[in-house]
Amino acid sequence: MNDPQLKKGIQSWPEKERPRELLLNNGAQGLSDAQLVAILLRIGRPDSSAVDVALDLLTRLKGLRGLANRSLQELCVVPGIGPAKAAQILAAVELGKRALAVPLTAGLRIHHSHDIYQHYYPLLRDLRHEVFKALLLDAKHGLIRDVTVSEGSLTVSIVHPREVFNLAVRESAAAVIFVHNHPSGDPHPSEEDHALTRRLMAAGEILGIRVLDHIVIGDGRYVSFADEGFLLSSTSTFDH
């Protein structure tokens, strides 16, 4: 019990200074980022407390935002972070994203591109690869469900109209809205985005399924093809 290494553990601290007790007594708002992460970690490593490990983790990843786009393997590179602790961190990050996302529930009528942005921004903003999603809507533009069509590399998402509209036909969708993220943070549509949208609209026209919008999400902002007048049709995004 006299091992000096053990004195670095949080259990050796005065009870009122331990992160968990601070949270229980005073609430979470007053804790630092490292203290909050330390509560998730629970224990540190032989030579360091959980707070020390949390500080090391946050320093290496450049703060909390760095936790949001890391894989389990990347977190485990930090000494003192094993698969179990990494899983706890990733679960907490995902819960935070979902808590911030405005819910999209079946039957919900989509009224504006900003409604979609508010849901997907917390979920997509920190990803380092493109994710292409489709919202399948009924004849009154109520949400049937959303689906992930593809997940790509850093800059490329492979999307084929056949895959998109197979899903829409199976769900008897009358209209679709497309959403994808730009890992660069700049939501301005690329030439490839415009070309893909034209192909999707052409396929939808043949099948009688309207493409209402294509929304590109960046860091804190987004671009709606419909709002910007980029769609080939002059009909407003959510008009019948």
Side-chain angles (χ1 to χ4, degrees):
M1 297 295 294
N2 295 323
D3 188 333
Q5 289 185 329
L6 296 180
K7 295 181 180 179
K8 290 183 176 291
I10 287 176
Q11 292 304 313
S12 68
W13 297 7
E15 187 168 325
K16 64 180 181 180
E17 296 180 11
R18 301 173 190 173
R20 184 170 59 187
E21 281 68 23
L22 284 171
L23 185 148
L24 292 173
N25 293 328
N26 304 316
Q29 293 81 4
L31 272 65
S32 68
D33 293 347
Q35 288 172 321
L36 291 171
V37 173
I39 292 173
L40 291 174
L41 299 178
R42 296 180 56 245
I43 59 174
R45 53 189 182 230
D47 61 339
S48 306
S49 70
V51 173
D52 293 324
V53 175
L55 281 169
D56 187 10
L57 177 68
L58 293 172
T59 299
R60 288 172 182 244
L61 300 184
K62 296 180 172 56
L64 287 177
R65 284 291 296 271
L67 293 178
N69 59 10
R70 301 291 174 165
S71 66
L72 186 142
Q73 291 76 16
E74 288 175 304
L75 295 180
C76 288
V77 170
V78 179
I81 305 291
K85 291 180 182 178
Q88 289 169 203
I89 292 170
L90 292 176
V93 169
E94 182 61 24
L95 284 171
K97 291 179 179 180
R98 295 185 187 186
L100 289 172
V102 175
L104 289 181
T105 56
L108 178 71
R109 290 192 65 183
I110 308 297
H111 294 290
H112 193 272
S113 59
H114 191 69
D115 299 335
I116 299 168
Y117 168 75
Q118 285 187 307
H119 173 76
Y120 285 108
Y121 176 61
L123 303 175
L124 299 179
R125 68 176 184 179
D126 292 312
L127 297 181
R128 291 181 289 172
H129 61 280
E130 286 193 4
V131 174
F132 192 96
K133 289 182 172 286
L135 282 73
L136 310 181
L137 308 177
D138 61 25
K140 295 184 178 180
H141 301 168
L143 179 68
I144 299 172
R145 70 185 183 104
D146 72 330
V147 294
T148 298
V149 178
S150 75
E151 297 194 34
S153 63
L154 180 64
T155 57
V156 178
S157 183
I158 308 288
V159 178
H160 195 284
R162 179 179 60 247
E163 299 164 354
V164 175
F165 287 102
N166 274 344
L167 295 168
V169 169
R170 285 206 302 267
E171 296 287 347
S172 300
V176 290
I177 297 172
F178 301 116
V179 182
H180 84 277
N181 63 309
H182 277 182
S184 67
D186 179 2
H188 189 270
S190 65
E191 288 301 319
E192 290 79 8
D193 293 335
H194 283 280
L196 173 61
T197 304
R198 288 192 292 269
R199 291 199 302 273
L200 291 171
M201 290 187 68
E205 186 173 352
I206 293 171
L207 294 170
I209 298 174
R210 291 182 59 203
V211 175
L212 299 182
D213 205 350
H214 182 178
I215 295 167
V216 185
I217 294 177
D219 189 359
R221 52 205 174 109
Y222 73 100
V223 171
S224 159
F225 273 58
D227 293 350
E228 298 296 325
F230 291 153
L231 296 185
L232 298 179
S233 169
S234 60
T235 305
S236 178
T237 313
F238 304 111
D239 289 343
H240 290 291

